[in-house]
């Protein structure tokens, strides 16, 4: 079983994508399973790291928090663009040390940070494990560090480590 | 009634998207540096993908979805390749 | 617009609302992209279009086709997922390329490789 289905999560999402594109019929389901099995064997030859999820139950909470923050920061950035360059705003870089080491957790953190308008993930230094962010509205630097560390990194560490 | 509502909103939305494409195009011509042009190209890809989706809503035709999926894939690959080139091209100089 | 003739009015209103919201978020993102002064500020503007701009237009398309074909149509969500997953990759690659170029040219306003850690402001870009 382990050899036939090396990456169950990836293969299930591949099957779902196949069904979404080709239509939910029995025939496409069988073809999709064949494609997923073949792709799984191909992926096994590459030996990617399989994610180890410790806390499934926290994933909906993370998604909810991220969607809420994306809506809020969309409104913030729209305000900044529409009202023009006010004097008070300054953009700048923040260098944040991270405790998160899991590569998939870091990838998800980068997706969260970049998807949220107003923050952009610039560079990750793996030897010092620090991340360089660019923030559009850097009013309170400590607040941004706290947001990244307490809101996202804490949850990601709970889920992955 | 609903056809009129939809027609007007799709027309306004397509006008807004076309205007967005114009802004991206002006930034692409102005630059000032290569990375600005690459980012403008990425924005242009995104806007044209959304434009195709709105054409799908306008005509009720499902085929536009596939075109916009392909455009988003192409945009990702080309922007990634150009960004890589910006890094590597400087190393050789 | 013959396909929309026998559409319920509330569906048309819902589809229009999401479509207009997405289109205007994308437009504001592009305007910001045009108006911001430095590249590092400009990199934030297109994320308006890639986050709620795309999501909103995708939702409106899903609602319309679900009602039109009177069966659940979800395949547009693939575009949303794809854009969400790929945008950070391209923006990160571009950001790193720009940092590299600025550092190798010695431009001001760019943090050095061993920039001090959080708490202090490294640079002020304006």
């Amino acid at each position: 079983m382990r050899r036939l289905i090396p990456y169950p999560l990836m293969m299930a999402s591949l099957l779902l994508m196949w069904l979404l594109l080709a239509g939910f019929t029995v025939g496409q389901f069988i073809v999709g399973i064949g494609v997923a099995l073949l792709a799984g064997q191909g992926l096994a030859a590459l030996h990617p790291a399989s994610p180890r999820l410790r806390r499934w139950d926290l994933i909906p909470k993370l998604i909810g928090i991220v969607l809420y923050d994306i809506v809020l920061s969309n409104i913030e950035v729209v305000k900044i663009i529409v009202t023009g360059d006010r004097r008070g705003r300054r953009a700048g870089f923040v260098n944040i040390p991270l405790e998160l080491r899991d590569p998939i957790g870091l990838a998800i953190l980068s997706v969260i940070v970049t998807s949220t308008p107003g923050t952009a993930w610039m560079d990750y230094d793996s030897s010092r494990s620090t991340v360089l962010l660019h923030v559009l509205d850097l009013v309170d630097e400590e607040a941004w560090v706290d947001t990244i560390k307490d809101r996202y990194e804490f949850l990601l560490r709970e889920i992955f480590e | 009634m609903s056809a009129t509502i939809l027609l007007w909103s799709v027309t306004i939305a397509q006008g807004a998207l076309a205007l967005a494409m114009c802004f991206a195009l002006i930034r692409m011509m102005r630059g000032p540096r290569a990375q600005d042009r690459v980012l403008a190209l990425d924005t242009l890809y995104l806007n044209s993908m959304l434009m195709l989706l709105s054409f799908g809503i306008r005509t009720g035709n499902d085929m536009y979805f596939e075109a916009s999926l392909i455009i988003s894939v192409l945009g990702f690959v080309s922007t990634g390749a150009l960004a890589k080139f910006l890094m590597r091209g400087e190393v050789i100089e | 617009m013959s396909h929309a003739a026998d559409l319920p009015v509330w569906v048309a209103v819902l589809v229009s609302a999401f479509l207009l919201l997405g289109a205007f978020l994308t437009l504001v993102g592009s305007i910001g992209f045009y108006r911001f002064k430095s590249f590092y500020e400009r990199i934030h503007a297109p994320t308006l279009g890639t986050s709620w701009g795309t999501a909103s237009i995708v939702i409106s398309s899903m609602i319309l086709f679900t009602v039109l074909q009177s069966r659940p149509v979800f395949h547009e969500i693939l575009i949303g997922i794809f854009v969400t997953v790929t945008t950070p990759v391209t923006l990160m690659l571009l950001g790193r390329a720009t940092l590299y170029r600025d550092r190798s040219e010695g431009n001001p306003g760019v943090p050095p490789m061993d920039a001090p850690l959080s708490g202090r402001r490294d640079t002020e870009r304006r």
Side-chain angles (χ1 to χ4, degrees), chain A residues 3 27 39 48 60 63 98 102 108 125:
Chain A
R3 280 194 58 189
I63 293 174
L98 289 180
D102 187 77
I108 294 176
D125 187 343

Side-chain angles (χ1 to χ4, degrees), chain A residues 3 42 55 79 82 113 116 131-132 142 156 158:
Chain A
R3 280 194 58 189
R55 296 281 304 272
K79 263 189 210 158
V82 169
V113 167
T116 328
V131 59
L132 187 67
E142 290 298 324
L156 283 168
E158 289 279 304

Side-chain angles (χ1 to χ4, degrees), chain C residues 33-112:
Chain C
F33 177 59
Y34 173 71
R35 279 180 63 178
F36 281 145
K37 296 285 186 292
S38 76
F39 175 81
Y40 297 103
E41 281 176 279
R42 263 175 233 143
I43 208 167
H44 296 288
T47 49
L48 278 179
T50 59
S51 59
W52 262 104
T54 307
S56 183
I57 292 183
V58 160
I59 288 171
S60 113
S61 176
M62 283 200 304
I63 295 171
L64 180 77
F65 283 105
T66 300
V67 175
L68 271 187
Q69 304 181 0
S70 51
R71 66 182 175 88
V73 176
F74 289 125
H75 60 201
E76 280 95 345
I77 206 164
L78 286 177
I79 291 183
I81 294 172
F82 192 81
V83 168
T84 313
V85 172
T86 56
T87 311
V89 180
T90 52
L91 291 189
M92 227 185 304
L93 275 172
L94 261 179
R96 286 181 62 185
T98 311
L99 268 182
Y100 175 79
R101 283 169 69 115
D102 276 346
R103 276 171 182 161
S104 64
E105 288 169 12
N107 288 347
V110 183

Side-chain angles (χ1 to χ4, degrees), chain A residues 3-37:
Chain A
R3 280 194 58 189
L4 194 66
I5 307 175
Y7 301 100
L9 200 63
M10 205 287 286
M11 289 161 76
S13 36
L14 198 63
L15 176 64
L16 189 68
M17 183 181 150
W18 183 275
L19 288 177
L20 279 171
L21 281 175
F24 285 87
T25 57
V26 181
Q28 294 294 352
F29 185 73
I30 295 167
V31 178
I33 284 182
V35 169
L37 284 177

Side-chain angles (χ1 to χ4, degrees), chain A residues 14-157:
Chain A
L14 198 63
L15 176 64
L16 189 68
M17 183 181 150
W18 183 275
L19 288 177
L20 279 171
L21 281 175
F24 285 87
T25 57
V26 181
Q28 294 294 352
F29 185 73
I30 295 167
V31 178
I33 284 182
V35 169
L37 284 177
L38 270 177
Q41 294 306 314
L43 197 67
L46 295 171
H47 300 291
S50 203
R52 287 199 317 275
L53 295 176
R54 298 224 184 279
R55 296 281 304 272
W56 282 92
D57 50 320
L58 286 177
I59 293 176
K61 189 184 169 193
L62 182 69
I63 293 174
I65 286 179
V66 169
L67 284 181
Y68 178 71
D69 284 0
I70 286 178
V71 173
L72 282 192
S73 54
N74 259 300
I75 297 169
E76 282 298 309
V77 174
V78 166
K79 263 189 210 158
I80 289 175
I81 292 174
V82 169
T83 56
D85 281 341
R86 285 170 296 137
R87 291 282 162 266
R89 183 178 70 85
R90 57 163 113 240
F93 292 93
V94 196
N95 211 357
I96 301 176
L98 289 180
E99 268 75 53
L100 185 70
R101 293 289 185 278
D102 187 77
I104 294 164
L106 282 171
I108 294 176
L109 184 63
S110 77
V111 170
I112 293 172
V113 167
T114 316
S115 303
T116 328
T119 48
W121 180 284
M122 283 291 163
D123 203 0
Y124 177 70
D125 187 343
S126 57
S127 58
R128 296 198 305 166
S129 79
T130 58
V131 59
L132 187 67
L133 301 184
H134 188 266
V135 183
L136 188 58
D137 193 4
L138 197 64
V139 188
D140 185 0
E141 195 166 325
E142 290 298 324
W144 278 109
V145 176
D146 290 345
T147 309
I148 301 290
K149 289 193 79 73
D150 299 341
R151 232 171 140 76
Y152 310 131
E153 194 198 4
F154 176 74
L155 268 178
L156 283 168
R157 288 191 72 191

